[in-house]
Amino acid sequence: MGCVSAVPPPRNDADTPDAPQAPDARGGRRSVAVALLFGALGATVVLLASGRVWARGTAAVGGGSLPLTADGRAVTGLPAALAIVGLAALVAVFAVRGRSRLLVSGLLALSGLGAALAAVLAADDRRALDEQAARTAADTAAQVGALTHTAWPYVTAAGGALILLAGLLALRFGGGWPAMGGRYERDGSPRPRKAATVDPDRPEDLWKALDRGEDPTR
């Protein structure tokens, strides 16, 4: 008859289906880089594309026609404003932790979504040029003629989509990203401060130690 040991065999956590998996540090660094790239590039695209001509037309003036143009900010200022909010949220993601980081990541994603939707909805807008035509013709009923639209609204929407992707990455992987602030470790606890060296022969060192709440006699 074999010997039976009362000591249970060691558990192998890899065989346990519910065992938490160790985070992939390389994947975390990669997600940070991709989110930063998408967020910064998306905001840049939105701000630049919003300043381009979105619509062209003509206004009837004195029996002739006058060409009119409207850039994205004249059509709708919402995408550019949301791109700035997205940039601020992208920076703030690395300045906060826990639930605050989750909220800021959500704001980043919503900023991109809002910018993209606003650009698409305003892609065929004619109100900005109608207002220009009315001012040019001095007739409130005047409307723009020969109206055409460019592709810049959709470029703006693509930039908003990049900001949205950056926000989704922050929502998914942001919990493992590092935070700004050199005096904190990765787990969020403050780093212990090294006690300053006190020279007992220098009275100024003794006074400084007392001001810091230290015992200079130790």
Side-chain angles (χ1 to χ4, degrees):
M1 182 174 179
C3 179
V4 178
S5 173
V7 180
R11 288 182 58 188
N12 187 359
D13 290 340
D15 297 335
T16 305
D18 296 331
Q21 300 294 322
D24 187 354
R26 288 181 299 177
R29 289 193 296 268
R30 190 180 301 115
S31 64
V32 171
V34 173
L36 285 172
L37 175 63
F38 281 1
L41 179 61
T44 302
V45 169
V46 171
L47 292 174
L48 290 178
S50 295
R52 301 292 183 173
V53 174
W54 282 24
R56 293 186 177 92
T58 59
V61 179
S65 62
L66 181 68
L68 301 175
T69 60
D71 62 18
R73 292 184 177 89
V75 175
T76 173
L78 193 56
L82 289 175
I84 295 174
V85 173
L87 273 178
L90 183 64
V91 174
V93 164
F94 299 94
V96 295
R97 294 176 180 273
R99 292 185 178 179
S100 298
R101 175 171 288 183
L102 189 64
L103 292 174
V104 174
S105 300
L107 177 61
L108 175 60
L110 289 175
S111 299
L113 179 62
L117 288 178
V120 170
L121 292 176
D124 57 352
D125 189 271
R126 60 178 298 148
R127 286 175 298 177
L129 285 181
D130 282 341
E131 292 174 359
Q132 286 192 41
R135 289 194 301 268
T136 302
D139 181 3
T140 57
Q143 290 186 335
V144 66
L147 179 63
T148 59
H149 295 89
T150 67
W152 287 111
Y154 301 102
V155 177
T156 305
L162 289 176
I163 300 175
L164 171 60
L165 288 176
L168 294 177
L169 285 172
L171 286 171
R172 174 63 179 84
F173 302 103
W177 291 353
M180 291 187 296
R183 61 187 294 263
Y184 290 93
E185 298 288 355
R186 288 184 181 273
D187 59 355
S189 58
R191 291 180 180 175
R193 293 190 304 175
K194 290 182 62 176
T197 304
V198 178
D199 187 355
D201 296 331
R202 300 183 61 186
E204 60 271 20
D205 286 356
L206 298 177
W207 283 112
K208 290 179 181 179
L210 290 173
D211 290 339
R212 293 193 298 268
E214 300 173 2
D215 184 1
T217 62
R218 288 189 300 175

